[in-house]
């Protein structure tokens, strides 16, 4: 199971954090700091896997954002890379040529998409099409309600 | 001017504009802050605004405010005042408010907050909501932050959803069940029946969730695992379907059909097939098929192959399949993708012990990976290379490892050095090669070796008596080149002190002859003594070596005398003490100087604690001498006297053997002789008195007086029966005024036929100087029967308690 998933910029600013384990706030802040330090220190042509405490850290850089997740020992690291890639593809499909700014200004949508891909630290849906359809349907539900109430979304 | 404009704009923004500044607007404003202080100010204002929004109650703006708060929280600012708002929003009938409320709950609430319990009821209601998207929100939140109580409360609901609903909800309910089981393992039984039926689902999302659920159930309960073994054929069928199916665009990733599901099924098969022949047989064909047919040109395919290999190695697969798996790993080693090389080596590391020969075939590639750019890859390659060293390839491997040592990153040096020592220890083809290798390591990475290296090397050198000349020449040359590597310098000083006469001789078969004069040697030692690079320990070595040379050289004894007397007033206490003692040796005891400083006897490498310190601790020292009693951490008096002598003569700082030639008679008599030479100190070897002999178990004691009131009693138990004595324990009681401290025993198994002993040390403090008595109770098992007995020791033989020897 995945313990957490983080997105941060090249300057170490956090853009998204998903925790699948209950940890106190202070602990989370420390982990974020450790991850950003460790991952940003990696040289360009090194492998995408690290060891940290008893977890395997898998990270991948997409443009200006680092996607970083922590796995347990029995988890398949190569599959985790595929999972991160799947998430990026979904974001790309949703926002159309996604860039960091999209995720900054629409962070709540990034979370909603993530919640359709992962749950409890595990993959919940393996079909990209299915996820895209669910997101569209939920957004539609929100918009219709909002239109009805004649108030804009966030 | 622009600053003023900015400030004016901000002012207008916050006072004139409507309170519902959109989320994105706020984000833009925050990002435009140029300093940390400015940002803090903006955040403070926004939070104040958000707080007042929350207080206003339902006005349609609450979700915007919470969203803003969540953004602020992500920047690292406190947001706990939003927790109750999350609870309220979750309870709202509006989907947009629920959506953001649940997101807020997942971000701000965790099971430790009290507020989390308050949403249990809302979740319960939403689980039965008419809209599946609302149900989905509830399920997702429960699976993310549900506490044990919440899980217990809602488990029946989840179980119902597993069975009765649409696949969108079913897949989510399945993963929610996984979370519940992780939190409350006892609830596993609730989900086991449904899990089985879920395997017949067609929907991949549900199937994936089902496999995860079954994996979790099997990992937690061995009985459930046995139950699910029956599902192996079904799982094999599903996998076959995936592997051979025609192109399905929905699940296809780089030519592999649903690699996510394939990997999970393989992992479940691994658990089910482990240690079970029937299950393993049932999956053999499938694994062979996946291994041969999966295209590994992209990551997805490699991931599936990787999982397949792990599964093959972990079940009872036939040997052909295992070879196939190792070959796949070998192929991975040659892959351009660094990630694949890395995981290949991690996997090879796991199997190098069990499938050693198969992995050996890929040794060349592994050694090449030592040259990779990536430190993680280098580290893996190092571990694997060390595991692959054998008697056959030791020379070539050592060449590679030594090259690696000279260029490896600093964080790997210590590991490399100890690995090299270990390998040399086990497989060195000749003593000379061994010594050369160690010297090479000390010259290259002397600062990164462990402390035991110095005494170990010295011991090795003493045993290679034919190489003394060669060794001392090599060390001397290394010493004059560079005195920065402390371990090298220490060994060199010791050797020069010991074998200085050989150094002076000049010729030695294996090195070009170089004329070394006595002055040269003394210069070298003095340089070490005076250099600021030398550690105190090193200087101790050098001083002792200088002293020892006084009997090995002829012309410059005066020079030595003067060096020694200078250091008599050295600030370093250790050096000063040594110098003073050596001075005494020159002045008062000159007649015995030759005997005191003569050649050291060959040292025995005996106890397990004496290995060349490797973390993996795989080495079992071949017991070269007849089985000796294992005495861990025990120092009996004569042994410590021997150590003190060694200290006086040998200049080694660490006592060489914690359990030295366990008071075997030859050593004791020689030490007694030397002590006699030093004049007038009575030391009799401490006798062992037998106090108990029954049923083959015999107990002896040795006792030594440490001070006027302290006595160390050593209890030695041995077993002359045919069977081992196990669970052996000793308890002791003494008169009231005496204080007793029992040290840990050396073990609790006494081998049969007197082949071994168990010893235990007891420290007694007798401040009132009463007559010492002790009652000992022994308890043990022999041939399955429990025995217990008591023995009373009424008088400790006074002859056995001798005053201890204290050095000069």
């Amino acid at each position: 199971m995945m313990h957490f998933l983080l997105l941060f910029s090249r300057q170490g600013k956090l853009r998204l954090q998903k925790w699948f384990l209950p940890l106190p706030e202070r602990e989370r802040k420390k982990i974020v700091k450790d991850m950003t330090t460790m991952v940003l220190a990696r040289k360009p042509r090194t492998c995408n896997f690290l060891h940290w405490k008893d977890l395997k850290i898998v990270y991948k850089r997409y443009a200006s954002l680092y996607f970083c997740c922590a796995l347990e020992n029995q988890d398949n690291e190569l599959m985790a890379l595929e999972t991160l890639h799947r998430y990026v593809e979904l974001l790309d499909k949703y926002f159309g040529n996604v860039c960091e700014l999209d995720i900054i200004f629409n962070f709540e949508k990034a979370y909603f998409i993530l919640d359709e891909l992962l749950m409890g630290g595990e993959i919940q849906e393996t079909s990209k099409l299915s996820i895209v359809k669910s997101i569209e349907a939920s957004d539609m539900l929100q918009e219709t309600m909002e239109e009805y109430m004649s108030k804009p979304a966030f | 001017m622009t600053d003023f404009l900015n400030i004016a704009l901000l002012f207008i923004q916050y006072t004139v504009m409507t309170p519902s500044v959109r989320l994105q607007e706020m984000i833009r404003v925050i990002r435009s802050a140029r300093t940390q202080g400015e940002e803090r100010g903006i955040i403070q204002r926004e939070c104040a605004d958000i707080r007042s929004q929350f207080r206003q109650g339902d006005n349609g703006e609450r979700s915007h405010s919470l969203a803003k708060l969540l953004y602020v929280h992500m920047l690292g600012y406190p947001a706990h005042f939003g927790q109750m708002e999350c609870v309220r929003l979750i309870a709202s009938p509006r989907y947009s408010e629920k959506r953001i409320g649940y997101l807020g709950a997942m971000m701000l609430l965790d099971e430790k907050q009290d507020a989390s319990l308050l949403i249990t009821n809302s979740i319960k209601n939403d689980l039965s909501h008419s809209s599946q998207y609302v149900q989905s929100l509830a399920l997702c939140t429960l699976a993310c932050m549900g506490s044990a109580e919440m899980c217990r409360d809602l488990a029946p609901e989840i179980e119902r959803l597993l069975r009765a609903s649409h696949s969108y909800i079913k897949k989510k309910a399945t993963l929610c069940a996984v979370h519940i089981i992780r939190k409350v393992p006892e609830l596993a039984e609730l989900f086991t029946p449904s899990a089985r039926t879920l395997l017949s689902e067609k929907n991949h999302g549900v199937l994936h969730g089902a496999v995860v659920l079954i994996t979790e159930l099997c990992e937690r309960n061995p009985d459930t695992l046995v139950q699910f073994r029956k599902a192996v054929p079904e799982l094999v069928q599903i996998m076959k379907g995936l592997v051979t199916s025609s192109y399905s665009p929905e699940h296809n990733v780089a030519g592999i059909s649903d690699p996510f599901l394939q990997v999970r099924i393989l992992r479940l098969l691994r658990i089910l097939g482990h240690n079970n022949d029937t299950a393993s047989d049932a999956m053999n064909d499938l694994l062979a098929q996946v291994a041969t047919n999966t295209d590994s040109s992209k990551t997805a395919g490699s991931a599936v192959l990787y999982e397949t290999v792990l599964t093959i190695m972990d079940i009872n697969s036939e040997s052909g399949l295992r070879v196939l798996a190792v070959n796949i790993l070998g192929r991975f080693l040659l892959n351009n993708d660094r990630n694949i090389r890395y995981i290949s080596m991690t996997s090879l590391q796991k199997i190098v012990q069990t499938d050693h020969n198969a992995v050996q075939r890929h040794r060349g590639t592994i050694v090449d990976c030592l040259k990779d750019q990536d430190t993680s890859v280098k580290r893996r390659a190092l571990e694997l290379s060390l595991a692959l060293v054998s008697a056959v390839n030791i020379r070539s491997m050592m060449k590679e490892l030594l090259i690696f040592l000279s260029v490896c990153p600093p964080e790997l040096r210590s590991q490399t050095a100890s690995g090299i020592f270990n390998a040399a220890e086990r497989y060195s083809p000749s003593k000379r090669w061994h010594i050369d290798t160690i010297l090479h390591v000390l010259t290259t990475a002397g600062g990164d070796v462990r402390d035991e290296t110095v005494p170990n090397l010295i011991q090795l050198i003493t045993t290679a008596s034919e190489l003394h000349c060669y060794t001392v020449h090599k060390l001397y040359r290394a010493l004059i080149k560079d005195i920065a590597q402390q371990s090298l310098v220490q060994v060199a000083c010791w050797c020069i002190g010991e074998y200085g006469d050989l150094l002076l001789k000049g010729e030695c078969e294996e090195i070009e002859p170089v004329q070394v004069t006595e002055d040269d040697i003394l210069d070298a030692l003095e340089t070490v003594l005076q250099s600021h690079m030398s550690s105190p320990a090193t200087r101790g070595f050098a001083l002792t070596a200088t002293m020892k040379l006084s009997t090995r050289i002829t012309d410059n004894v005066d020079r030595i005398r003067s060096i020694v007397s200078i250091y008599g007033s050295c600030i370093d206490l250790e050096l000063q003490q040594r110098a003073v003692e050596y001075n005494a040796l020159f002045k008062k005891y000159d007649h015995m100087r030759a005997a005191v400083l003569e050649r050291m006897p060959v040292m025995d490498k005996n106890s397990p604690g004496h290995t060349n310190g490797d973390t993996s601790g795989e080495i079992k020292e071949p017991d070269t001498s007849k089985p000796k009693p294992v005495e861990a951490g025990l120092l009996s008096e004569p042994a410590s006297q021997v150590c003190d002598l060694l200290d006086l003569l040998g200049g080694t700082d660490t006592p060489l053997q914690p359990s030295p030639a366990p008071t075997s008679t030859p050593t004791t008599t020689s030490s007694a002789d030397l002590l006699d030479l030093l004049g007038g100190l009575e030391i009799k070897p401490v006798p062992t008195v037998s106090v108990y002999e029954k049923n083959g178990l015999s107990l002896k004691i040795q006792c030594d007086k440490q001070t006027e009131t302290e006595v160390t009693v050593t209890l030695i138990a041995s077993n002359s029966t045919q069977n081992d004595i196990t669970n052996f324990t000793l308890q002791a009681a003494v008169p009231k005024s005496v204080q007793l401290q029992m040290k840990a025993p050396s073990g609790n198994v006494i081998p049969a036929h007197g082949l071994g002993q168990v010893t235990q040390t007891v420290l007694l403090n007798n401040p009132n100087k009463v007559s010492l008595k002790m009652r000992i109770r022994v308890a043990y098992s022999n041939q399955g029967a429990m025995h217990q007995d008591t023995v009373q020791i009424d008088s400790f033989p006074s002859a056995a308690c001798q005053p201890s020897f204290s050095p000069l």
Side-chain angles (χ1 to χ4, degrees):
Chain A
M1 109 178 219
M2 205 181 274
H3 281 214
F4 54 81
L5 175 72
L6 304 174
L7 265 70
F8 46 86
S9 70
R10 295 247 297 280
Q11 287 76 40
K13 288 198 94 89
L14 193 64
R15 298 300 177 208
L16 187 145
Q17 52 176 335
K18 188 75 188 180
W19 301 87
F20 297 108
L21 276 186
L23 289 167
E25 190 68 40
R26 234 180 43 201
E27 185 82 33
R28 291 182 185 188
K29 283 207 168 117
K30 179 155 191 313
I31 292 178
V32 171
K33 203 152 75 143
D34 284 345
M35 288 298 119
T36 44
T37 325
M38 251 177 30
V39 171
L40 292 173
R42 294 283 277 180
K43 298 202 205 55
R45 271 186 313 275
T46 51
C47 73
N48 297 71
F49 309 132
L50 287 168
H51 265 280
W52 181 77
K53 300 203 178 166
D54 59 340
L55 297 172
K56 298 197 260 207
I57 308 294
V58 177
Y59 73 93
K60 187 122 196 242
R61 184 170 145 218
Y62 288 91
S64 57
L65 270 182
Y66 283 91
F67 287 65
C68 166
C69 63
L71 305 171
E72 290 176 341
N73 243 326
Q74 332 86 289
D75 294 323
N76 188 321
E77 300 98 306
L78 293 174
M79 226 48 228
L81 276 177
E82 283 298 312
T83 310
L84 293 177
H85 191 74
R86 175 59 61 98
Y87 184 43
V88 173
E89 285 179 330
L90 288 167
L91 289 170
D92 195 53
K93 190 82 198 287
Y94 184 80
F95 289 109
N97 266 338
V98 66
C99 64
E100 191 183 343
L101 282 176
D102 289 322
I103 300 181
I104 295 172
F105 281 94
N106 300 285
F107 71 94
E108 81 281 5
K109 302 220 174 56
Y111 276 103
F112 296 149
I113 296 172
L114 185 62
D115 286 339
E116 288 295 323
L117 175 66
L118 293 171
M119 209 167 111
E122 307 279 357
I123 296 250
Q124 67 173 282
E125 178 57 69
T126 58
S127 156
K128 221 173 14 183
L129 189 62
S130 179
I131 298 181
V132 170
K133 280 207 194 123
S134 320
I135 298 282
E136 281 174 5
S138 322
D139 278 349
M140 196 85 78
L141 186 61
Q142 185 168 302
E143 258 162 54
T144 3
M145 299 279 296
E146 293 300 340
E147 266 169 29
Y148 177 70
M149 313 275 299
S150 62
K151 291 256 171 17
F154 313 127
Chain B
M1 185 55 202
T2 27
D3 288 88
F4 179 74
L5 217 50
N6 277 331
I7 295 174
L9 278 170
L10 275 171
F11 183 74
I12 295 170
Q13 224 169 14
Y14 285 99
T15 52
V16 172
M17 276 178 77
T18 57
S20 58
V21 176
R22 295 285 164 263
L23 168 69
Q24 298 190 345
E25 190 56 43
M26 181 197 81
I27 296 176
R28 199 168 330 121
V29 168
I30 292 175
R31 280 167 61 78
S32 63
R34 274 161 305 165
T35 65
Q36 188 72 7
E38 209 180 316
E39 184 184 280
R40 260 200 300 272
I42 300 175
I43 302 273
Q44 258 181 329
R45 271 192 297 275
E46 285 296 334
C47 285
D49 192 49
I50 292 170
R51 254 189 266 246
S52 63
Q53 280 294 319
F54 287 167
R55 273 196 296 272
Q56 278 179 34
D58 184 5
N59 56 0
E61 299 296 330
R62 290 186 305 168
S63 44
H64 312 149
S65 306
L66 186 59
K68 284 194 257 173
L69 183 60
L70 293 179
Y71 181 79
V72 164
H73 174 248
M74 190 152 58
L75 290 178
Y77 295 91
H80 42 268
F81 59 90
Q83 287 172 4
M84 281 316 291
E85 198 58 25
C86 295
V87 177
R88 272 180 237 127
L89 283 175
I90 288 173
S92 152
R94 295 190 202 121
Y95 179 65
S96 59
E97 294 191 338
K98 271 197 203 286
R99 218 180 180 192
I100 199 75
Y102 274 116
L103 179 63
M106 286 193 273
M107 286 175 75
L108 299 180
L109 296 176
D110 60 37
E111 54 183 41
K112 304 210 175 52
Q113 318 287 352
D114 296 325
S116 63
L117 284 174
L118 298 172
I119 62 174
T120 314
N121 211 34
S122 298
I123 294 183
K124 192 177 203 155
N125 292 334
D126 284 339
L127 282 174
S128 342
H129 201 275
S130 51
S131 163
Q132 63 178 4
Y133 299 106
V134 173
Q135 285 178 300
S136 146
L137 289 174
L139 284 166
C140 195
T141 309
L142 183 60
C144 179
M145 47 75 75
S147 66
E149 302 95 80
M150 288 164 76
C151 288
R152 259 188 274 262
D153 261 340
L154 300 166
E157 281 299 305
I158 305 298
E159 207 275 327
R160 186 180 59 79
L161 288 171
L162 267 184
R163 286 179 285 112
S165 52
H166 173 46
S167 59
Y168 180 72
I169 294 301
K170 226 189 277 222
K171 75 184 183 205
K172 292 183 189 256
T174 317
L175 287 178
C176 207
V178 173
H179 174 84
I180 291 177
I181 293 171
R182 285 178 181 153
K183 280 288 180 209
V184 189
E186 304 86 64
L187 287 171
E189 307 164 334
L190 181 61
F191 298 106
T192 312
S194 329
R196 187 72 178 77
T197 48
L198 283 170
L199 273 185
S200 32
E201 288 282 328
K202 291 283 166 269
N203 178 293
H204 282 223
V206 180
L207 209 45
H208 187 279
V211 174
V212 175
L213 178 59
I214 297 175
T215 311
E216 194 69 33
L217 289 167
C218 291
E219 276 174 347
R220 285 178 188 273
N221 188 333
D223 296 324
T224 322
L225 194 148
V226 171
Q227 207 181 327
F228 274 107
R229 278 217 182 97
K230 300 193 198 100
V232 170
E234 204 173 336
L235 289 165
V236 169
Q237 234 4 72
I238 299 173
M239 262 308 275
K240 275 213 171 93
L242 289 171
V243 174
T244 57
S245 72
S246 51
Y247 183 77
S248 151
E250 198 180 335
H251 298 111
N252 189 282
V253 180
I256 312 287
S257 182
D258 207 338
F260 298 99
L261 182 57
Q262 287 197 31
V263 162
R264 284 318 296 238
I265 294 181
L266 285 166
R267 193 163 134 185
L268 178 56
L269 286 175
R270 178 156 82 239
I271 297 172
L272 295 174
H274 183 69
N275 269 342
N276 184 292
D277 283 325
T278 340
S280 302
D281 284 336
M283 47 180 96
N284 249 314
D285 285 339
L286 169 73
L287 293 172
Q289 190 178 8
V290 176
T292 37
N293 289 345
T294 309
D295 170 24
S296 61
S297 50
K298 293 282 170 64
T299 313
S302 304
V304 173
L305 270 184
Y306 174 43
E307 200 72 32
T308 314
V309 166
L310 289 178
T311 303
I312 292 175
M313 301 316 285
D314 212 31
I315 62 170
N316 301 355
S317 45
E318 38 182 61
S319 59
L321 201 52
R322 287 182 91 88
V323 171
L324 180 61
V326 178
N327 287 344
I328 292 177
L329 290 179
R331 235 173 45 226
F332 276 179
L333 275 180
L334 300 165
N335 196 306
N336 280 331
D337 187 339
R338 196 167 272 113
N339 292 333
I340 295 185
R341 290 209 293 279
Y342 177 88
I343 53 133
S344 152
M345 282 198 275
T346 339
S347 318
L348 285 170
Q349 185 77 35
K350 288 191 204 139
I351 61 171
V352 72
Q353 304 296 341
T354 50
D355 296 74
H356 193 92
N357 292 329
V359 181
Q360 277 283 4
R361 252 176 263 144
H362 302 281
R363 198 179 73 243
T365 330
I366 294 171
V367 168
D368 277 337
C369 287
L370 284 172
K371 305 186 187 90
D372 198 299
Q373 303 275 11
D374 183 346
T375 318
S376 332
V377 172
K378 274 210 246 267
R379 188 191 301 267
R380 292 272 164 262
L382 173 66
E383 286 167 3
L384 213 43
S385 303
L386 289 173
L388 287 176
V389 175
S390 72
V392 176
N393 57 36
I394 178 75
R395 282 189 195 264
S396 51
M397 283 298 276
M398 195 51 81
K399 229 184 275 179
E400 295 287 343
L401 287 169
L402 288 173
I403 295 173
F404 179 67
L405 184 64
S406 46
V407 298
C408 76
E411 61 265 24
L412 290 179
R413 282 170 113 186
S414 157
Q415 194 181 351
T416 315
S418 26
I420 289 178
F421 283 153
N422 264 330
E425 185 86 25
R426 290 163 96 175
Y427 304 114
S428 54
S430 73
K431 280 241 163 78
R432 178 171 149 193
W433 183 93
H434 194 172
I435 291 176
D436 278 343
T437 308
I438 300 187
L439 287 183
H440 194 138
V441 173
L442 285 179
T443 359
T444 328
D448 296 297
V449 300
R450 287 229 178 68
D451 293 333
E452 309 91 74
T453 315
V454 171
N456 284 342
L457 179 56
I458 290 178
Q459 190 272 332
L460 178 66
I461 290 173
T462 55
T463 57
S465 40
E466 67 282 8
L467 292 171
H468 286 167
C469 186
Y470 168 78
T471 313
V472 72
H473 270 271
K474 270 209 105 163
L475 281 168
Y476 174 72
R477 269 163 232 213
L479 184 67
I480 50 179
K481 223 189 280 172
D482 172 28
I483 58 169
Q485 301 278 29
Q486 296 304 297
S487 14
L488 183 63
V489 172
Q490 286 172 7
V491 177
C493 287
W494 189 90
C495 277
I496 292 173
E498 191 66 13
Y499 309 120
D501 45 333
L502 296 175
L503 189 56
L504 289 168
K505 270 213 220 107
E507 24 35 81
C508 176
E509 335 78 66
E510 290 151 19
I511 302 199
E512 331 96 63
V514 155
Q515 203 47 35
V516 182
T517 66
E518 296 181 359
D519 273 316
D520 291 334
I521 305 182
L522 289 173
D523 283 341
L525 287 175
E526 256 194 298
T527 320
V528 173
L529 267 172
Q530 291 162 358
S531 164
H532 61 279
M533 284 195 279
S534 303
S535 71
T538 312
R539 295 168 86 196
F541 271 86
L543 188 61
T544 308
T546 311
M547 184 60 191
K548 279 156 79 169
L549 285 175
S550 69
T551 52
R552 288 157 176 76
I553 64 176
T554 46
D555 298 328
N556 283 327
V557 184
D558 285 333
R559 186 174 167 186
I560 296 181
R561 227 191 287 258
S562 63
I563 295 177
V564 163
S565 65
I566 290 172
Y567 279 88
S569 42
C570 175
I571 285 187
D572 184 292
L573 201 58
E574 174 69 27
L575 278 182
Q576 190 191 107
Q577 178 170 351
R578 288 185 190 216
V580 165
E581 291 172 10
Y582 297 155
N583 238 346
L585 207 53
F586 268 122
K587 300 217 163 63
K588 280 207 281 177
Y589 297 100
D590 202 45
H591 54 283
M592 54 178 84
R593 183 163 49 93
V596 170
L597 298 177
E598 73 182 9
R599 273 271 203 287
M600 293 281 289
V602 173
M603 293 174 222
D604 256 337
K605 197 176 208 186
N606 41 20
S607 65
H610 210 63
T611 52
N612 257 331
D614 183 52
T615 42
S616 61
E618 308 156 355
I619 301 166
K620 284 270 160 275
E621 278 307 321
D623 205 5
T624 46
S625 47
K626 39 189 195 323
K628 294 197 189 86
V630 174
E631 294 173 355
L634 166 72
L635 267 177
S636 50
E637 252 335 88
S640 67
Q641 293 151 14
V642 173
C643 270
D644 288 335
L645 277 169
L646 288 174
D647 202 48
L648 186 60
L649 298 176
T652 53
D653 277 338
T654 50
L656 276 173
Q657 297 104 322
S659 51
T663 57
S664 54
T665 359
T667 331
T668 338
T669 42
S670 62
S671 67
D673 289 339
L674 281 164
L675 290 168
D676 277 348
L677 277 174
L678 282 165
L681 288 152
E682 300 104 350
I683 273 300
K684 297 183 181 45
V686 175
T688 318
V689 179
S690 179
V691 295
Y692 173 83
E693 198 115 45
K694 199 169 163 190
N695 293 336
L697 172 68
S698 64
L699 200 58
K700 298 186 178 55
I701 62 165
Q702 269 177 1
C703 110
D704 284 290
K705 212 165 173 180
Q706 303 285 8
T707 68
E708 280 306 303
T709 55
E710 283 172 359
V711 182
T712 306
V713 178
T714 310
L715 304 154
I716 306 173
S718 54
N719 168 15
S720 61
T721 67
Q722 306 280 3
N723 303 82
D724 292 356
I725 285 180
T726 55
N727 298 325
F728 179 76
T729 52
L730 285 169
Q731 289 168 304
V734 288
K736 270 216 187 84
S737 62
V738 181
Q739 289 148 16
L740 170 91
Q741 189 190 359
M742 287 192 91
K743 298 286 190 198
S746 64
N748 58 1
V749 173
I750 316 180
H753 304 295
L755 285 175
Q757 293 173 348
V758 162
T759 53
Q760 189 159 14
T761 313
V762 180
L763 302 174
L764 298 176
N765 187 12
N766 185 4
N768 298 346
K769 302 228 189 100
V770 303
S771 76
L772 272 181
K773 294 182 207 285
M774 193 190 291
R775 185 176 301 168
I776 300 178
R777 176 158 26 170
V778 297
Y780 61 96
S781 305
N782 192 1
Q783 282 177 288
M786 295 284 299
H787 297 263
Q788 216 178 56
D789 210 344
T790 319
V791 56
Q792 176 104 356
I793 304 173
D794 286 319
S795 57
F796 285 76
S798 54
C801 294
Q802 295 290 330
S804 66
F805 169 64
S806 42
L808 296 162

